[in-house]
């Protein structure tokens, strides 16, 4: 191998055309591309760059930096200034000998949809020269913008990202956006190239506080005498932004920095401010100065309250040469209020003192963290999963980095359901929404375990009532709201089982079992969900449709069966035999009853069963105003005989957890076939929807509900006519588990076709808000296609009996499993790419490889390789 390698190097050195340099591969050349978007599909693209719980700034499909959401609040469309030429931007200067220089913003063309505006300021940087050609490539968390122009002697690739390393939540939670501007000299002679990053000091301005002028412009305010300070070290040069005048308790108070490596082969210049910005003169002043020679000259005095900082890097590129211009954007905004009236502190702010401290501490680690991120993306993209499954699973990880998610001082993670443009949407880590998602537990099990701790230690009261939303700041036993959701509470029991199994943490189960048991037992209170304790939920059931169902229905009932099955296994583990026996009895009766009474031959439906009187409904199961307005003879918001898209959500969860079938197997498949038959829409032209439209025109989707047998309630549950991706994923992944591969993949593809970059942002699946948590159900597509299951309790791992290369992750380690077939044997190779995998048995289909003792496999160990017979 060494002889071949050095021979290739010799050939390259001898035969490479003179003037063209052999180079180490650039970062963009090392990223395997999962999805590409042409110039007609860039308008909506906004890839969030930032860490878990840190906020983000997004890289637009044309290279723009948009949605500046680093200051503890959602900020869609916010660019730190009034829309115009003052927004943050990067520019490039090029110069050939004896030729005039050329300067452009590092941006692609403006979309035609943005041409019209009352004052000619429809988008940021409307007045800057731009590149004529742009495209976008991505494998999240990497985004690559390709820019070229016939007037420029260069091609540019903008590579934006933040480290993302499954199982390492801290390394995946750094408040940094890394921007690599890779420039290629496409001319026939040597050129000078400079790139400058330019941003106003926006400390104090998060977009939530604003005024308006006579034109009606949005004018953010909050900055007060902000200051920029040039800093340098052996490793870095940059500009540190701060304010001594903004209230230090404000969520918008903090620090920001733009920096670049201190490269001795580059000329680095800067300005901490510009001339006074009357009539946009500071932008003009910058452009003139930078366009002269690609250099900047420091100004003596900072005049504006939000002074414009500029940092430029200049290099010489030979013919055909490619060089990278690297910039780091770092921040530290410690104060978060979220849904609390009291100030909370961001976890990341406990790790760093300020924005400059972020880059100072992390700069030496960034090459390693980048390589580990590349390892993850490469292993994932090169796996054998279907393209639409990989896209849905990978791109929706971005929700964990959006303002939907945050971490408080002790590291616990919380989430809105999603976010609106300026506000969080539906507070409290809502149990019935977060029940669906699988990204957090399988990639960051420590964060998922923390969420379970919050549910059972803070949101659970002494009688077992769990408020399905958690208030902040946390108070033990007093942080839940006064309404319990049947699906939310049953789902938390299944989630707890999942976290225990994935972690294998016996102490975790021992500690929390009494409260898990209490939460399940709450179903049996008098007149409660299953007040007569027969395994069937007949009581009033608040649920994820934001209403109460009256009487048995598949959605709540199958969640309940799943909770009983999971609790039975946990009870046996802690030797609580009596409780295990009760769970078994309730499950057996409830499962049979469900198939007998709710399955109508095609799907499961609701049997409306009203309480005798409003007074019979226990406190905490229905909101007061709904109790008062309830019509016992004609209740609003029911499902009745409808075919619900996610009626098998409990079964979906049971498959993920390896709990087997909760109802008859044949009925499950029949139901999924019926959902496709009755809820699938080939287009929306003839569809009536009185609520929200997340699908339009010729787009294909699964409706939330249909009534093929008639009997639609006069006023059905509110979202009956809508389409929402998290629910669609639940059905689609159920299809994958039932062998309906073509149907499941088509359903997922329909979702992703709607998020095509032109119509919608591929990194922002919406429901009640952007970056909706339920959409992270998409990760379960990976689990279904590989039949992956891991038990840290039994130290067992499982994959499908099918040739392929399967990426896997169990929340504390990740890697790949390669399965190759030859004659009547499978050769299996199990690799660990990160973390430690503890394994005693490996199951491939029905065949199991046992080891005499537990193997602890790490990235440094040889893979586990063995052969198994083909049983298919």
């Amino acid at each position: 191998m060494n002889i071949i390698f050095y021979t290739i190097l010799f050939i390259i050195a001898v035969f490479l055309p003179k003037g063209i340099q052999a180079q180490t591969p650039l970062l963009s050349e090392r990223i395997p591309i999962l999805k590409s978007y042409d110039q007609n599909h860039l308008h909506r693209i906004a890839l969030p760059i930032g860490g878990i719980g840190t906020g983000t700034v997004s890289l637009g499909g044309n290279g723009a930096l948009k949605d500046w959401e680093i200051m503890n609040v959602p900020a869609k469309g916010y660019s730190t200034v009034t829309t115009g030429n003052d927004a943050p931007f990067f520019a490039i200067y090029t110069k050939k000998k004896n030729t005039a220089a050329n300067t452009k913003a590092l941006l692609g063309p403006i979309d035609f949809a943005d041409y019209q505006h009352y004052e000619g300021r429809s988008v940021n940087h409307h007045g800057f020269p731009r590149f004529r050609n742009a495209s976008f490539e991505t494998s999240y968390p990497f985004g690559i913008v390709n820019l070229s122009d016939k007037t420029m002697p260069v091609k540019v690739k903008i590579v934006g990202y933040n480290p993302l390393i499954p199982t390492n939540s801290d390394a995946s939670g750094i408040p940094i956006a890394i921007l690599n501007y890779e420039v290629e000299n496409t001319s026939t002679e040597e050129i000078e190239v400079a790139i400058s990053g330019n941003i106003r000091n926006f400390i104090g301005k998060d977009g939530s506080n604003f005024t308006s002028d006579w034109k009606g412009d949005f004018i953010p305010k909050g900055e007060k005498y902000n200051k920029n300070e040039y800093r340098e070290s052996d490793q870095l040069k940059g500009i540190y932004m701060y304010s001594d005048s903004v209230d230090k308790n404000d969520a918008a108070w903090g620090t920001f920095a733009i920096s670049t490596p201190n490269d001795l082969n580059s000329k680095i210049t800067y300005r901490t401010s510009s001339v006074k910005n009357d009539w946009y003169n500071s932008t003009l002043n910058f452009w003139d100065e930078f366009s002269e020679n690609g250099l900047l000259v420091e100004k003596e005095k900072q005049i504006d309250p939000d002074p414009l900082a500029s940092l430029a890097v200049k290099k010489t590129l030979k013919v055909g040469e490619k060089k990278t211009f690297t910039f780091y954007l770092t921040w530290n905004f410690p104060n978060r209020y979220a849904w609390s009236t009291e100030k909370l502190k961001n976890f990341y702010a406990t790790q760093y003192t300020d924005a400059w401290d972020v880059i100072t501490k992390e700069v030496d680690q960034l090459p390693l963290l980048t390589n580990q991120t590349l390892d993850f993306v490469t292993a994932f993209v090169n796996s054998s999963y279907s393209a639409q499954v990989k896209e849905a699973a990978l791109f929706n990880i971005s929700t964990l980095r959006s303002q939907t998610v945050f971490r408080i001082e002790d590291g616990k993670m919380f989430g809105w359901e999603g976010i609106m443009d300026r506000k969080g949407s539906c507070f409290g880590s809502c149990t019935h929404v977060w029940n669906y998602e699988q990204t957090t537990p399988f990639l960051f099990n420590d964060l998922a375990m923390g969420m379970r701790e919050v549910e059972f230690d803070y949101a659970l009261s002494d009688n077992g009532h769990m408020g399905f939303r958690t208030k902040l700041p946390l108070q033990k036993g007093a942080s839940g709201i006064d309404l319990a959701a049947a699906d939310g509470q049953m789902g938390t029991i299944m989630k707890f089982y999942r976290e225990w199994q994935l972690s294998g943490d016996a102490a975790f189960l021992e500690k929390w079992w009494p409260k898990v048991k209490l939460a399940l037992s709450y179903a049996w209170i008098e007149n409660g969900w299953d007040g007569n304790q027969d395994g069937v939920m007949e009581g009033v059931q608040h649920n994820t449709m934001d209403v109460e169902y009256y009487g048995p229905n598949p959605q709540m009932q199958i969640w309940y069966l799943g909770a009983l099955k999971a609790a039975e296994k946990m009870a046996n583990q802690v030797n609580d035999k009596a409780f295990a026996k009760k769970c078994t009895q309730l499950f057996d009766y409830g499962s049979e009853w469900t198939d007998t009474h709710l399955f109508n031959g095609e799907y499961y439906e609701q049997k409306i069963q009203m309480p005798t009187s409003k007074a019979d409904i226990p406190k905490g199961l229905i909101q007061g105003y709904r109790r008062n307005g309830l019509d016992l003879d004609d209740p609003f918001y029911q499902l009745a005989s409808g075919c619900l898209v996610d009626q098998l959500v409990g079964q979906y969860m049971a498959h993920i957890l390896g709990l087997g079938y909760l109802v008859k197997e044949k009925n499950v498949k029949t139901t999924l076939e019926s959902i496709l038959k009755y809820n699938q829409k080939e287009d929306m032209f003839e569809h009536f929807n009185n609520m929200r439209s997340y699908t339009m025109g010729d787009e294909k989707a699964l409706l939330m509900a249909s009534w093929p047998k008639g009997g639609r309630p006069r006023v059905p549950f509110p979202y009956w006519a809508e389409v929402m991706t998290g629910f669609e994923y639940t059905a689609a992944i159920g299809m994958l588990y039932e062998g309906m591969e073509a149907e499941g993949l088509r359903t997922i593809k329909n979702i992703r076709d709607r998020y095509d970059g032109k119509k919608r942002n591929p990194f922002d699946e919406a429901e009640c808000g952007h970056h909706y948590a339920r959409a992270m159900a998409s990760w379960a597509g990976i689990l279904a296609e590989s039949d992956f299951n891991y038990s840290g309790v039994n130290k067992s791992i499982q994959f499908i009996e099918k040739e392929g290369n399967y990426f896997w992750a169990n929340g504390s380690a990740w890697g790949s499993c390669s399965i190759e077939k030859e004659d009547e044997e499978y050769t299996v190779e199990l690799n660990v790419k990160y973390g430690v995998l503890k394994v005693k048995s490996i199951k491939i289909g029905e065949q199991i490889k046992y080891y005499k003792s537990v193997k602890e496999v790490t990235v440094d160990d040889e893979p586990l390789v063995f052969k198994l017979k083909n049983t298919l």
Side-chain angles (χ1 to χ4, degrees), residues 293-318:
N293 54 17
L295 301 174
L296 303 173
V297 179
E298 172 67 316
K299 301 299 178 186
E300 293 182 1
K301 186 177 181 182
Q302 296 182 18
I303 300 171
D304 295 317
D306 57 347
L308 176 66
S310 300
L311 181 67
V313 180
K314 188 175 182 180
K315 302 174 186 275
T316 300
L317 274 68
K318 297 178 181 178

Side-chain angles (χ1 to χ4, degrees), residues 176-448:
I176 187 172
I178 303 169
L179 298 170
N180 284 345
Y181 291 84
E182 299 177 356
V183 183
E184 177 185 1
N185 180 358
T186 57
S187 74
T188 58
E189 59 185 89
E190 185 176 270
I191 60 173
E192 292 180 344
V193 176
I195 291 180
S196 175
N198 310 275
I199 183 169
R200 290 192 169 277
N201 185 328
F202 57 95
I203 306 302
K205 289 193 299 182
D206 62 9
S208 65
N209 188 14
F210 60 92
T211 186
S212 182
D213 60 12
W214 65 273
K215 291 176 274 189
D217 284 336
F218 170 86
I219 304 173
K221 62 181 183 178
E223 85 285 2
K224 295 179 181 178
Y225 312 112
N226 293 355
K227 298 177 182 178
N228 296 334
E229 177 183 295
Y230 174 73
R231 291 185 175 185
E232 67 175 73
S233 66
D234 292 341
Q235 300 163 299
L236 299 161
K237 290 185 177 182
I239 298 173
Y240 173 69
M241 301 182 181
Y242 66 101
S243 176
D244 292 328
S245 302
V246 173
D247 182 357
K248 289 181 171 52
N249 291 309
D250 197 294
W253 173 81
T255 55
F256 183 85
I258 178 173
S259 60
T260 189
N262 191 354
D263 181 2
L264 297 179
N265 296 315
S266 304
K267 177 69 173 177
I268 300 172
T269 56
Y270 67 93
R271 307 190 330 174
T272 58
S273 67
S274 182
V275 297
K276 189 170 178 56
N277 197 32
D278 295 333
W279 300 95
Y280 293 96
N281 280 334
S282 61
T283 304
L284 171 64
N285 178 255
F286 160 79
W287 199 269
D288 285 347
E289 183 171 290
F290 186 63
S291 298
E292 183 177 351
N293 54 17
L295 301 174
L296 303 173
V297 179
E298 172 67 316
K299 301 299 178 186
E300 293 182 1
K301 186 177 181 182
Q302 296 182 18
I303 300 171
D304 295 317
D306 57 347
L308 176 66
S310 300
L311 181 67
V313 180
K314 188 175 182 180
K315 302 174 186 275
T316 300
L317 274 68
K318 297 178 181 178
V319 177
E321 190 174 16
K322 302 175 183 177
K323 286 188 177 180
T324 299
F325 298 69
T326 298
F327 292 84
Y328 307 119
L329 307 181
T330 53
W331 58 88
N332 191 318
F333 293 90
N335 307 323
R336 182 180 292 273
Y337 289 86
W339 53 80
S340 170
T341 56
E342 295 184 28
K343 184 175 70 175
L344 306 167
K345 187 172 185 178
N346 285 317
F347 172 73
Y348 80 82
T350 69
Q351 312 298 300
Y352 311 102
T353 57
D354 55 41
W356 193 259
D357 189 45
V358 174
I359 189 58
T360 301
K361 284 182 176 176
E362 300 297 348
V363 65
D364 288 339
Q365 295 296 317
L366 289 180
L368 173 63
L369 299 180
T370 299
N371 285 335
Q372 290 172 337
T373 304
L374 277 169
D375 286 345
F376 161 56
V377 169
T378 301
F380 185 87
V381 172
N382 291 339
S383 61
S384 301
Y385 299 104
S386 303
Q388 57 267 57
V389 167
K390 287 192 283 192
E391 180 186 334
L394 190 65
F395 288 18
N396 276 307
I397 298 174
S398 61
T399 295
L400 289 180
R401 327 260 276 202
S402 71
Q403 282 289 349
T404 296
V405 168
F406 60 94
R407 297 176 71 185
I408 62 173
E409 188 168 359
D410 65 1
K412 289 186 180 69
M413 190 177 92
F414 293 82
W416 300 90
E417 291 183 22
I419 55 171
M420 302 303 183
D421 284 358
R422 290 285 184 271
K423 303 281 186 179
S425 169
C426 304
F427 78 96
S429 303
C430 175
T431 57
H432 58 60
V433 168
W434 281 81
N435 276 353
Y436 288 69
E437 74 96 7
Q438 305 299 328
T439 303
T440 307
F442 284 92
L443 296 187
F444 301 99
N445 191 243
D446 61 323
L447 298 180

Side-chain angles (χ1 to χ4, degrees), residues 44 84 93 226 345-346 464 481 510 523 596 647 693-694 704 757 774 823 832:
R44 294 291 186 182
Y93 160 96
N226 293 355
K345 187 172 185 178
N346 285 317
I481 62 172
E510 290 281 351
T596 302
Q647 60 188 278
S693 293
Y694 297 109
M704 290 291 287
R774 197 183 330 252
D823 298 326
V832 174

